[in-house]
Amino acid sequence: MLSIEKLNISVGDKKILEDFNLKIGKGEVHAIMGPNGSGKSTLSYVLAGKDGYEVDGKIIFKNENIIGLPADARAQKGIFLAFQYPIEIPGVFMNNFLKTSLNAVKKAKGQKEVDVVEFLSLVKQHAKKLGIKDEQLGRALNVGFSGGEKKRNEVLQMSLLEPDLAILDETDSGLDIDALKIVADGVNALRSPNRSFLIITHYQRLLDYIKPDFVHVMVNGSIVKTGCSKLAQELDKIGYKEFQKAI
Amino acid sequence: MNTITDIKELSELRAISSNLFNKYGFPTKKDEDWKKSTLNNFLENNKKLEIYKDNNETIYDKAFENFNHNKIITVNGLVQKIEFVGKDKDKLIITTINEYYKKNNKHLSKLFSNKKNPLVVANNALATSGFYLEIKDNLDLPIIIYHQFNSKIDQMQLHQKNYIYINKNSKAVLFEKFINENIKTFISINTNIDVEKNSHIKNYILNSHNTENCIFRFKKVNIAASANYESFIFSNITKTIRDEVEINLNESLAKCYLYYTQFLKNDEDHEIKVKINHLAENTQSNQFSKSIIDGTAKGIYQGKIFVDQIAQKTNGYQLIKSVLLSDQCTFHSKPELEIYADDVKCSHGSSSTSLNKDELFYLMARGIPEKQAKRLIVQGFLSEVIEKISDDVFKNYFISKTEEMLK
């Protein structure tokens, strides 16, 4: 699904990722854990196609090097980034945004676009599963949403767009226990042999609900250790200090 | 054409205005209020334009809106046709401004009170066309005034003076649409509006496709106790146009809401000048303007809130925002507060930014192509103002105009 090879990312003189390598197979769930400032969010932005970084190396997604492709093209190809801090856009209403996004992706895939009636039925069905009220769908995008509502909204978009690769950037931050469970259930419902996940988190608690196949420890822009889901539990006990010392 | 030269009061008021204009001349960049104006060059180069006085006109009926409304059609400043509907027929009076002068010749000075603005005094001295409109009661349907200008006035100057009187306890929606098929004309429209006690008037203006002329629109609005004046001006594809308004909140609980959206590109421009005078206790004003500027276009907003020393408990609010889409476009904002009372709540804010890259990335990361994403952001930005329009029919009208404009 995804193969990152010798990826270097910098902003000005500052190197953020250096010779970074990662392979994610079809249907696999990978978690990247690491301390603040280790480059996890930058990695997610670069995978999604954000401007403003100097990028070198290869990002092979479904057998195509996507470096240089703009964010919209990557999303249309099936990459989805659930933002750590979802952006508030005043005046852009949820329903209009979701329908525009869904149809843009469908159009790119050569699928039939949905009309208003089909869209409303689809979105309500997905929203209900995530405990999102109809009233929220009539509001401006993320404006006045609580932290939990924003994160649920990210999962709603993910379930509508049905991506091949979903990157979750600290989706657990700002969620209470009940909301975390709802979000995790939403993610688990999307797990399939054809869909891969890259979950970025500081804490093990999200991984109690979404069991990863692989856990990677990322420090200072590189993966320093890879293991199975047990590694996350170990990290919860020992923290990241040991890995930082080693570097 | 009516002969009104025999009204002594009018002749005197015009003579005073004429003398003042001879003293001031056309405004120049040396005048603080006209420093950034784009009207100056046109006026400097076209000082000798002939004054238009004819009145035999043809109506262009393709501009009519297809929903039910009361129609007033003016061509080159003179009312050519009216169509009032149902019971509204008994609630509306319309005459030429000259007829009004004849019948009310002892009360004309208030219509000629502006002695400072050079273009208003020029209008006071020279206006021969215009109308008097009286709204006597709550209207069932909106009034649409179609201001049509045709090629008969090419390279001339036209001064129009209107007076709109809204009787107490009346509600009305007044939509003004400008249709310009003329070129190189200087059009000056000076409208006095009196909103009497407990009345509510909504005055919406579509200011679009006016790029070939120099247009100065001045409104003076007097608002009485517990009365409201709400205005919205939508500007797109405009050039050398200045919309100026002076509001007097004369009595307690008088309120005004002034909303503007502008979308200017290429070498377009538009100027807005607002002065709000809080002259009584417990009055409220609200200004909210949003502009999108692109290409080498230029937007200007000058907004002043004046609070008299007796106007305690005033609430004055002003928010001016613009998004600049290119490196060459400009937006000039000049917010001002002049406060002489001590128990007031006044605030003003002004910001100019470029398109928010994080917003753009967020939308693109959801598969929305860049062009469409930018359009969504721009539409969303402007819609925050349009959502404030309290009349649902016109709110939807301007939402669809915005969508049309962004296509």
Side-chain angles (χ1 to χ4, degrees):
Chain A
M1 180 70 73
L2 180 76
S3 173
I4 303 173
E5 297 165 21
K6 290 191 173 174
L7 187 67
N8 290 286
I9 304 174
S10 53
V11 176
D13 293 337
K14 196 183 173 196
K15 283 188 176 176
I16 300 170
L17 258 68
E18 207 168 349
D19 279 342
F20 184 93
N21 297 290
L22 179 70
K23 273 192 167 61
I24 299 178
K26 234 183 187 183
E28 290 176 357
V29 177
H30 289 239
I32 292 185
M33 301 180 75
N36 291 327
S38 56
K40 304 185 301 295
S41 287
T42 301
L43 172 67
S44 71
Y45 283 147
V46 168
L47 290 175
K50 191 176 185 183
D51 287 338
Y53 301 98
E54 287 142 52
V55 182
D56 181 46
K58 284 182 181 171
I59 302 172
I60 313 288
F61 176 64
K62 295 197 289 189
N63 303 319
E64 184 190 351
N65 189 356
I66 57 167
I67 282 189
L69 280 186
D72 54 331
R74 296 188 195 198
Q76 289 164 7
K77 284 181 187 297
I79 293 180
F80 181 91
L81 168 63
F83 282 64
Q84 183 181 357
Y85 302 111
I87 308 290
E88 296 183 7
I89 312 186
V92 173
F93 291 93
M94 278 283 290
N95 273 329
N96 187 23
F97 156 71
L98 291 172
K99 182 168 168 281
T100 309
S101 162
L102 179 62
N103 279 338
V105 171
K106 282 193 175 288
K107 193 179 171 187
K109 287 180 181 168
Q111 295 171 357
K112 190 176 163 271
E113 293 178 39
V114 292
D115 62 24
V116 179
V117 180
E118 288 167 323
F119 167 75
L120 287 175
S121 141
L122 189 68
V123 76
K124 280 183 182 174
Q125 191 186 317
H126 284 280
K128 200 177 171 187
K129 281 183 198 163
L130 290 162
I132 295 172
K133 291 175 192 148
D134 287 357
E135 171 266 336
Q136 198 176 326
L137 298 170
R139 283 156 62 184
L141 182 54
N142 292 322
V143 178
F145 286 23
S146 69
E149 283 174 331
K150 283 181 183 171
K151 294 297 172 78
R152 274 189 241 192
N153 188 22
E154 294 293 288
V155 180
L156 170 68
Q157 293 166 43
M158 182 165 70
S159 65
L160 276 172
L161 297 180
E162 300 179 324
D164 295 322
L165 172 67
I167 304 157
L168 277 65
D169 187 6
E170 294 192 27
T171 298
D172 49 341
S173 67
L175 292 182
D176 60 35
I177 300 163
D178 296 333
L180 184 69
K181 179 89 175 45
I182 291 170
V183 166
D185 287 347
V187 172
N188 283 328
L190 286 169
R191 285 181 78 157
S192 90
N194 293 320
R195 183 169 294 128
S196 311
F197 287 86
L198 176 60
I199 297 168
I200 292 169
T201 183
H202 284 296
Y203 309 106
Q204 186 239 335
R205 59 175 194 167
L206 178 67
L207 305 179
D208 285 343
Y209 296 105
I210 308 168
K211 286 276 176 234
D213 300 305
F214 300 94
V215 173
H216 310 278
V217 182
M218 187 168 170
V219 179
N220 286 350
S222 301
I223 288 177
V224 292
K225 189 170 182 178
T226 294
C228 62
S229 62
K230 279 185 185 165
L231 177 58
Q233 288 159 12
E234 280 173 39
L235 286 168
D236 208 35
K237 287 176 195 152
I238 61 169
Y240 299 114
K241 276 184 185 165
E242 290 303 312
F243 300 102
Q244 284 167 311
K245 272 182 201 166
I247 287 171
Chain B
M1 192 160 171
N2 300 299
T3 310
I4 48 167
T5 45
D6 52 343
I7 305 173
K8 195 178 153 221
E9 289 76 10
L10 184 63
S11 303
E12 281 172 8
L13 289 164
R14 283 190 163 160
I16 293 167
S17 300
S18 188
N19 289 338
L20 282 171
F21 182 68
N22 287 337
K23 190 177 139 194
Y24 299 148
F26 282 125
T28 67
K29 290 200 184 298
K30 286 180 187 165
D31 299 313
E32 181 63 26
D33 282 352
W34 296 83
K35 214 172 185 174
K36 302 287 180 189
S37 179
T38 54
L39 273 65
N40 300 330
N41 283 347
F42 182 95
L43 296 169
E44 180 62 31
N45 296 329
N46 295 280
K47 281 181 176 167
K48 302 279 181 199
L49 293 178
E50 189 191 333
I51 298 168
Y52 182 77
K53 286 179 179 167
D54 197 3
N55 73 341
N56 186 16
E57 312 291 358
T58 317
I59 292 168
Y60 174 69
D61 59 7
K62 284 185 184 147
F64 295 163
E65 296 297 339
N66 58 9
F67 51 87
N68 244 356
H69 62 276
N70 298 297
K71 276 191 190 71
I72 297 174
I73 303 132
T74 73
V75 184
N76 298 334
L78 281 166
V79 175
Q80 295 295 324
K81 194 177 176 186
I82 53 163
E83 274 178 34
F84 296 151
V85 182
K87 287 180 187 168
D88 285 351
K89 280 179 193 166
D90 303 327
K91 300 172 189 168
L92 290 163
I93 294 173
I94 189 158
T95 66
T96 64
I97 192 76
N98 292 344
E99 283 300 316
Y100 176 81
Y101 293 152
K102 280 186 202 168
K103 288 180 188 160
N104 300 274
N105 56 21
K106 300 290 176 209
H107 310 284
L108 298 182
S109 59
K110 66 175 184 180
L111 301 181
F112 291 79
S113 61
N114 193 313
K115 306 269 191 292
K116 287 182 181 165
N117 187 317
L119 293 189
V120 178
V121 296
N123 183 292
N124 286 342
L126 299 169
T128 51
S129 63
F131 59 80
Y132 166 71
L133 172 68
E134 185 175 335
I135 297 167
K136 295 198 285 184
D137 206 341
N138 288 340
L139 296 184
D140 294 330
L141 293 172
I143 300 171
I144 302 186
I145 304 178
Y146 297 93
H147 296 270
Q148 304 190 358
F149 300 96
N150 61 32
S151 59
K152 280 172 78 178
I153 58 169
D154 284 358
Q155 300 189 53
M156 297 178 107
Q157 55 177 310
L158 186 147
H159 295 263
Q160 178 184 347
K161 198 165 170 63
N162 308 317
Y163 177 33
I164 300 172
Y165 179 81
I166 296 109
N167 205 353
K168 61 184 179 185
N169 304 319
S170 303
K171 282 182 187 159
V173 178
L174 182 64
F175 174 47
E176 297 180 72
K177 200 172 167 183
F178 290 83
I179 302 110
N180 287 77
E181 296 193 312
N182 51 316
I183 55 164
K184 292 181 182 167
T185 312
F186 171 52
I187 298 172
S188 162
I189 304 174
N190 179 354
T191 305
N192 284 269
I193 302 178
D194 284 343
V195 190
E196 291 297 3
K197 201 175 169 182
N198 202 29
S199 283
H200 302 274
I201 177 126
K202 297 168 185 180
N203 186 190
Y204 306 132
I205 292 172
L206 177 65
N207 185 19
S208 188
H209 296 87
N210 294 329
T211 57
E212 300 294 331
N213 306 287
C214 176
I215 300 175
F216 174 65
R217 283 188 290 251
F218 181 86
K219 270 192 180 137
K220 185 176 178 181
V221 186
N222 287 304
I223 307 175
S226 303
N228 286 357
Y229 175 75
E230 173 184 314
S231 95
F232 171 68
I233 301 184
F234 174 101
S235 301
N236 165 233
I237 317 180
T238 61
K239 217 172 159 183
T240 336
I241 296 180
R242 176 163 165 133
D243 274 297
E244 194 166 334
V245 64
E246 186 176 337
I247 307 263
N248 291 325
L249 297 156
N250 289 326
E251 292 171 358
S252 177
L253 300 173
K255 289 177 189 156
C256 72
Y257 307 90
L258 306 179
Y259 305 129
Y260 299 89
T261 62
Q262 307 186 85
F263 182 50
L264 305 173
K265 50 187 187 300
N266 303 323
D267 59 347
E268 294 160 11
D269 63 75
H270 184 231
E271 305 172 37
I272 297 163
K273 185 169 187 295
V274 174
K275 188 178 180 208
I276 295 173
N277 299 313
H278 288 264
L279 304 172
E281 276 194 4
N282 282 309
T283 52
Q284 192 179 320
S285 70
N286 191 316
Q287 300 168 61
F288 190 18
S289 168
K290 283 196 165 191
S291 306
I292 299 280
I293 321 278
D294 200 357
T296 56
K298 180 177 173 182
I300 298 168
Y301 192 104
Q302 299 186 67
K304 184 171 183 174
I305 300 172
F306 170 87
V307 183
D308 191 276
Q309 59 181 359
I310 62 160
Q312 302 293 355
K313 312 276 181 205
T314 280
N315 199 336
Y317 176 82
Q318 184 193 63
L319 185 61
I320 315 302
K321 286 186 168 186
S322 63
V323 170
L324 309 179
L325 296 180
S326 77
D327 294 338
Q328 292 83 38
C329 63
T330 50
F331 185 77
H332 302 272
S333 175
K334 192 182 166 199
E336 288 176 277
L337 295 174
E338 191 178 334
I339 301 171
Y340 296 100
D342 50 16
D343 183 13
V344 301
K345 215 160 91 182
C346 281
S347 67
H348 64 123
S350 177
S351 71
S352 290
T353 58
S354 52
L355 198 76
N356 188 318
K357 284 185 178 162
D358 290 336
E359 291 181 1
L360 187 63
F361 173 59
Y362 188 86
L363 296 183
M364 288 177 71
R366 297 298 178 251
I368 301 173
E370 186 174 353
K371 212 175 154 186
Q372 203 176 356
K374 281 183 177 170
R375 202 161 57 213
L376 267 181
I377 296 169
V378 165
Q379 194 177 336
F381 177 76
L382 297 178
S383 77
E384 271 206 304
V385 177
I386 298 172
E387 287 294 323
K388 300 272 181 197
I389 295 174
S390 64
D391 183 275
D392 286 341
V393 172
F394 283 94
K395 185 194 289 181
N396 292 331
Y397 178 87
F398 285 112
I399 288 172
S400 66
K401 281 285 164 201
T402 307
E403 283 168 2
E404 212 174 276
M405 171 181 89
L406 294 171
K407 263 180 192 167

